[in-house]
Amino acid sequence: MVHFVGAGPGAPDLITVRGKQYLEEADVIIYAGSLVNPKLLEYSKDVCTIHNSAKMTLEEVISVIEHAEAAGKTTVRLHTGDPCLYGAIREQMDILDEKGIAYDSCPGVSSFCGAAGALNLEYTLPDISQSVIITRMEGRTPVPSKESIQSFAAHQATMVVFLSTGMLEELSRRLIEGGYTADTPAAIVYKATWEDEKKLICTVGTLAQTAKENNITKTALMIIGDVVNAAHYERSKLYDPGFTTEFRKASR
Ligand code: SAH
């Protein structure tokens, strides 16, 4: 059996209870060493074999899993944050399907949630934005042209940009071309929930300069939108004394 497990954003106590249990039981762990906090590996048992997938190809990862399966062992494939975002899990699962190897998925706390936690931020403020766009600039992995930053910027919804820390001047340019003003609030969160986390409030126009001044070149998320710094927003209806909900009668 193979468990794809979300390691969470960094802090070792932000893995799920289920994910931790899988780590404790695993005979083999293959972890994404570029981003997973190695402290999580301390949950493993002494006899567990550990591989760092940052130094491996897809074929090597599959080969390790196949050997473990042949020996009747349980493997944890540990991905950063939640595996469903930029996790490259599908290509692994498709090969496991071909080989008849069983697997399941255990969610994790994505770094975009870790970053919101670091900033005590609500991405969905009534009247400001009720949507979160999760995207990236293209790197070696292309982004479909219909999903350009400019086209998303036109929505003025909250935007969280992954995998783009080295391209912030271009990101700003595209955000402004798409309709954001240079003074739209933005934030950069570096290594959210890690001990060396940095969180910086800036604007769309100062993203690149802010990262440069703080020596941030990778492992960061950019958060764009008025929710970062909103002074005025509508109160929620859910907790409004004047509204009846399924669980509570209006008091006035
Ligand atoms: N599956 C992961 C994302 C993997 S892509 C998740 O759900 O978070 C890798 C990118 O995620 C990094 O380039 C960075 O943009 C972001 N990232 C991962 N961990 C982070 C953290 N602790 N703080 C800020 N950004 C992080």
Side-chain angles (χ1 to χ4, degrees):
M1 184 68 185
V2 182
H3 302 295
F4 286 86
V5 175
D13 55 350
L14 282 177
I15 191 168
T16 63
V17 175
R18 186 188 298 179
K20 178 169 178 267
Q21 194 178 332
Y22 284 150
L23 283 182
E24 287 164 354
E25 292 165 3
D27 302 304
V28 177
I29 296 174
I30 309 169
Y31 73 106
S34 55
L35 282 165
V36 167
N37 191 337
K39 282 194 178 156
L40 281 159
L41 303 173
E42 292 171 15
Y43 295 135
S44 64
K45 55 189 183 190
D46 288 346
V47 291
C48 180
T49 315
I50 296 176
H51 301 264
N52 177 359
S53 65
K55 298 177 180 160
M56 298 162 76
T57 62
L58 172 60
E59 288 70 17
E60 285 165 345
V61 168
I62 298 294
S63 163
V64 167
I65 294 174
E66 273 190 297
H67 280 96
E69 286 295 309
K73 292 179 173 171
T74 299
T75 303
V76 164
R77 179 69 175 104
L78 190 61
H79 283 273
T80 180
D82 188 296
C84 77
L85 289 172
Y86 310 113
I89 52 170
R90 176 66 195 270
E91 60 192 27
Q92 300 172 66
M93 291 173 173
D94 281 347
I95 300 178
L96 296 182
D97 282 341
E98 276 169 28
K99 295 184 181 292
I101 296 175
Y103 57 85
D104 63 12
S105 296
C106 173
V109 177
S110 176
S111 59
F112 85 93
C113 301
L119 295 167
N120 291 320
L121 187 69
E122 179 172 351
Y123 285 136
T124 52
L125 284 176
D127 260 19
I128 307 277
S129 174
Q130 288 291 288
S131 312
V132 183
I133 295 170
I134 289 172
T135 189
R136 61 171 296 173
M137 299 273 283
E138 70 270 10
R140 267 166 298 176
T141 306
V143 172
S145 59
K146 284 189 215 149
E147 298 177 19
S148 69
I149 297 282
Q150 295 91 316
S151 68
F152 286 145
H155 294 281
Q156 307 273 300
T158 305
M159 197 186 291
V160 184
V161 186
F162 282 69
L163 291 159
S164 306
T165 321
M167 294 173 257
L168 295 186
E169 271 177 27
E170 182 60 15
L171 175 64
S172 288
R173 197 189 64 68
R174 293 187 191 185
L175 288 167
I176 291 167
E177 194 186 317
Y180 279 110
T181 56
D183 61 359
T184 302
I188 301 176
V189 183
Y190 167 76
K191 291 185 88 175
T193 82
W194 288 67
E195 277 171 13
D196 49 348
E197 167 189 284
K198 288 183 193 167
K199 43 189 177 179
L200 304 154
I201 305 293
C202 59
T203 63
V204 163
T206 59
L207 279 167
Q209 182 196 332
T210 305
K212 196 170 172 204
E213 283 169 5
N214 292 278
N215 299 319
I216 297 173
T217 55
K218 58 178 189 172
T219 325
L221 289 173
M222 280 55 69
I223 300 165
I224 323 295
D226 286 331
V227 296
V228 171
N229 207 359
H232 303 288
Y233 56 88
E234 275 287 305
R235 250 187 79 157
S236 74
K237 302 294 181 226
L238 187 60
Y239 297 106
D240 185 329
F243 273 73
T244 296
T245 73
E246 192 186 341
F247 301 101
R248 180 176 56 77
K249 271 209 156 54
S251 56
R252 62 176 159 84

